């Protein structure tokens, strides 16, 4: 078993190799490493690579640093580009999500205000004793706006929950037809 791992925080590429007969995990790096980098790399190898092998099942087991492998430098360019692309895609996904949240919030605010305007019109129509057709059209408009509001706000508010008291009896009459 032989694998390559790139540590973007250190800009370090390692190659691990498990030798079953010796029950050893060996790793090499593309450049010399500091003590802190060595601790991080060995911790990673023991936590992520070793469990995939018989390393912990057999005794004795060895973890060996084999030094610098200059052939890894060729592979490093690929891993740097891959890591950069991953960062770009992660950032794009985060930005897309934030933009969608802003759009949804803006739309839900817009629909909330339009619903408020329509509720005022409905109240005025009821007080002015307007025709049933006009009142029914306002109920329909409120219903459409409320559905759009629910979609953009992630809520599930029903029209009967937002109607003023005097409008509820009219709404019941229209829905019973």
């Amino acid at each position: 078993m032989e694998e390559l791992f790139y540590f973007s925080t250190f800009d370090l590429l390692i190659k691990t190799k498990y030798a079953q007969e010796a029950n050893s995990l060996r790793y090499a790096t593309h450049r010399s490493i500091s003590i802190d980098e060595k601790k991080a790399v060995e911790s990673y190898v023991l936590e992520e690579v070793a469990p995939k092998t018989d390393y912990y099942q057999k005794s004795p087991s060895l973890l060996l640093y084999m030094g610098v492998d200059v052939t890894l430098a060729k592979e490093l360019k690929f891993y740097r580009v891959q890591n950069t692309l991953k960062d770009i895609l992660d950032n794009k996904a985060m930005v897309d999500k934030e933009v969608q949240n802003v759009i949804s919030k803006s739309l839900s605010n817009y629909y909330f205000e339009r619903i408020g305007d329509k509720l005022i019109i409905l109240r005025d129509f009821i007080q002015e004793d307007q025709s049933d057709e006009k009142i029914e059209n306002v109920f329909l408009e409120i219903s459409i706006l409320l559905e759009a509001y629910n979609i953009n706000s992630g809520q599930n508010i029903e029209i009967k929950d937002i109607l003023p008291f005097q409008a509820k009896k009219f709404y019941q009459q229209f829905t019973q037809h």
Side-chain angles (χ1 to χ4, degrees), residues 158-170:
E158 295 182 24
I159 192 169
K160 63 183 179 183
D161 297 330
I162 63 166
L163 291 177
F165 175 74
Q166 64 271 30
K168 288 186 180 185
K169 67 178 180 177
F170 284 97

Side-chain angles (χ1 to χ4, degrees), residues 1 6 57 85 105 115 123 125 129 144 147 168:
M1 177 175 135
Y6 178 67
Q57 280 73 35
L85 289 175
K105 186 173 182 176
I115 291 168
R123 183 192 65 201
F125 277 10
D129 203 23
I144 292 168
E147 183 178 340
K168 288 186 180 185

Side-chain angles (χ1 to χ4, degrees), residues 10-170:
F10 303 129
D11 190 34
L12 179 70
L13 183 65
I14 70 166
K15 177 168 62 173
T16 62
K17 186 173 185 177
Y18 176 69
Q20 190 171 12
E21 59 282 348
N23 195 31
S24 65
L25 273 171
R26 301 173 192 159
Y27 70 96
T29 57
H30 85 279
R31 62 168 172 78
S32 59
I33 57 175
S34 70
I35 293 172
D36 289 338
E37 290 172 332
K38 185 175 181 177
K39 286 179 186 177
V41 167
E42 288 184 356
S43 176
Y44 180 83
V45 169
L46 290 173
E47 290 175 18
E48 300 296 325
V49 180
K52 298 175 188 174
T53 67
D54 292 335
Y55 185 82
Y56 290 119
Q57 280 73 35
K58 294 180 182 177
S59 187
S61 55
L62 296 170
L63 177 61
L64 302 169
Y65 175 51
M66 303 302 289
V68 176
D69 181 349
V70 292
T71 62
L72 291 175
K74 294 176 191 173
E75 300 284 338
L76 182 61
K77 289 179 186 177
F78 168 76
Y79 282 91
R80 282 179 179 155
V81 169
Q82 185 180 29
N83 188 65
T84 302
L85 289 175
K86 181 186 175 298
D87 289 346
I88 290 170
L89 291 174
D90 289 348
N91 287 338
K92 181 190 178 312
M94 184 181 70
V95 168
D96 288 350
K97 184 177 178 184
E98 287 300 316
V99 167
Q100 187 58 46
N101 287 342
V102 168
I103 291 169
S104 291
K105 186 173 182 176
S106 178
L107 284 172
S108 65
N109 288 340
Y110 170 81
Y111 289 122
F112 182 81
E113 290 177 14
R114 296 298 75 76
I115 291 168
D117 294 343
K118 291 297 177 184
L119 288 172
I120 291 170
I121 292 170
L122 177 65
R123 183 192 65 201
D124 292 346
F125 277 10
I126 291 171
Q127 288 176 350
E128 296 168 1
D129 203 23
Q130 291 285 333
S131 71
D132 287 351
E133 186 180 324
K134 282 187 176 183
I135 294 173
E136 189 173 6
N137 285 338
V138 175
F139 280 129
L140 180 62
E141 290 171 355
I142 291 171
S143 177
I144 292 168
L145 289 169
L146 185 59
E147 183 178 340
Y149 173 80
N150 283 338
I151 289 169
N152 288 288
S153 68
Q155 297 190 42
N156 192 20
I157 299 172
E158 295 182 24
I159 192 169
K160 63 183 179 183
D161 297 330
I162 63 166
L163 291 177
F165 175 74
Q166 64 271 30
K168 288 186 180 185
K169 67 178 180 177
F170 284 97

